[in-house]
Amino acid sequence: MEWNENRPLTWEDFRGKPSFSSAYKASTNSGISIGWSLSESGNKVVLVGYDVKANFYPDISWKKDNIVKKDFILAHEQLHFDISELHARKLRKALAEYEGGRNVQKELTAIYRKYEQERSNMQNAFDAESDHSRIEQEELKWRDFVQKELEKYNAYAQ
């Protein structure tokens, strides 16, 4: 499922099998996908197009039935998806500014890996600082931060 600001996640989107051994009430699996097209121009390979998406994976995202504060937890899971979209926007910006080099495919792969690593690090920091939504004040700080960052990169939204 592709990120869409007009289509937030619902609990019905979480169709994976819950991990009952997990202490968590829900789990969002999201990430960034990328495709690009290259062309030869003279003796040089150039980037002619790209497609970057933030995706949510319903079949491996799950929820438990006994969730208290359902709306608050769903907002936490949405923020994980929003963090993926933020990094998709950052990646789109980097690709829009990319001028090419000696080994285009290797360089593009390195750019993708950089933003994917940053995305993963931010996801982990979000969960650590909010204690997986248990520290409400931190959760609210993160919501504000991610919203401002999304707005900052709004020119790179799809």
Side-chain angles (χ1 to χ4, degrees):
M1 184 171 114
E2 193 175 331
W3 190 92
N4 180 331
E5 73 177 313
N6 298 314
R7 195 340 192 135
L9 295 175
T10 67
W11 283 122
E12 289 72 36
D13 296 324
F14 292 75
R15 297 192 297 256
K17 182 179 177 185
S19 173
F20 290 103
S21 64
S22 172
Y24 310 125
K25 302 295 183 187
S27 177
T28 292
N29 280 279
S30 67
I32 303 170
S33 63
I34 182 172
W36 59 68
S37 54
L38 306 173
S39 180
E40 288 190 32
S41 178
N43 62 351
K44 190 173 162 181
V45 176
V46 295
L47 175 65
V48 292
Y50 56 87
D51 185 32
V52 176
K53 292 180 175 24
N55 300 299
F56 172 82
Y57 303 102
D59 294 335
I60 55 176
S61 296
W62 53 265
K63 65 170 176 33
K64 293 181 180 174
D65 291 331
N66 62 342
I67 299 175
V68 178
K69 296 168 61 173
K70 284 187 175 193
D71 291 343
F72 192 81
I73 301 297
L74 183 59
H76 175 87
E77 300 306 322
Q78 178 67 53
L79 199 58
H80 278 295
F81 195 16
D82 294 346
I83 289 169
S84 290
E85 171 60 16
L86 171 61
H87 287 82
R89 291 180 187 190
K90 289 180 174 188
L91 179 55
R92 288 183 201 115
K93 179 181 187 294
L95 294 174
E97 295 170 349
Y98 177 72
E99 294 182 11
R102 300 175 72 81
N103 189 338
V104 175
Q105 278 196 274
K106 184 176 180 180
E107 292 167 2
L108 292 174
T109 299
I111 292 169
Y112 168 77
R113 286 185 179 147
K114 173 187 179 208
Y115 288 99
E116 177 56 26
Q117 186 62 56
E118 286 181 11
R119 183 194 70 80
S120 178
N121 291 345
M122 186 179 279
Q123 298 283 13
N124 292 333
F126 168 49
D127 271 339
E129 291 176 22
S130 71
D131 192 17
H132 298 269
S133 80
R134 291 181 190 110
I135 304 173
E136 289 189 28
Q137 191 61 32
E138 289 301 316
E139 180 84 19
L140 297 175
K141 283 183 194 175
W142 271 94
R143 287 183 195 178
D144 185 54
F145 170 74
V146 171
Q147 184 57 45
K148 286 177 180 170
E149 288 294 295
L150 284 168
E151 289 170 9
K152 186 163 61 170
Y153 290 93
N154 206 38
Y156 300 96
Q158 283 191 326

